Amino acid sequence: MVNDRNSFIFRLLSTLFIILVINFFLPRMMPGDPFSTTSADEVGEDIIVMTEEQHLYYINYYGT
């Protein structure tokens, strides 16, 4: 009975750890810059929805 509970808790914690690790690393491994590729109609085409001044402000503010 205690062994089953320990096994359940171990599986629960290991699953939670795996989900958190994937959630942390997946966005960091994705290519692209969110400020320069805000939206596009075709692959490689950027549609600018902010001015150059706004772009530089956000880059300096967020440090990317």
Side-chain angles (χ1 to χ4, degrees):
M1 182 89 155
V2 173
N3 195 16
D4 291 337
R5 183 177 295 182
N6 289 340
S7 175
F8 174 75
I9 291 172
F10 176 74
R11 287 185 304 169
L12 180 76
L13 292 176
S14 61
T15 303
L16 180 64
F17 176 75
I18 290 170
I19 290 171
L20 290 175
V21 166
I22 289 172
N23 192 29
F24 178 80
F25 283 110
L26 189 62
R28 286 155 183 81
M29 292 171 39
M30 293 173 62
D33 180 14
F35 297 117
S36 65
T37 56
T38 55
S39 62
D41 288 338
E42 296 179 14
V43 176
E45 179 184 343
D46 294 340
I47 298 175
I48 306 301
V49 294
M50 63 180 85
T51 65
E52 185 66 27
E53 181 179 298
Q54 291 172 327
H55 182 139
L56 291 175
Y57 170 78
Y58 287 121
I59 286 176
N60 290 330
Y61 183 78
Y62 290 110
T64 59

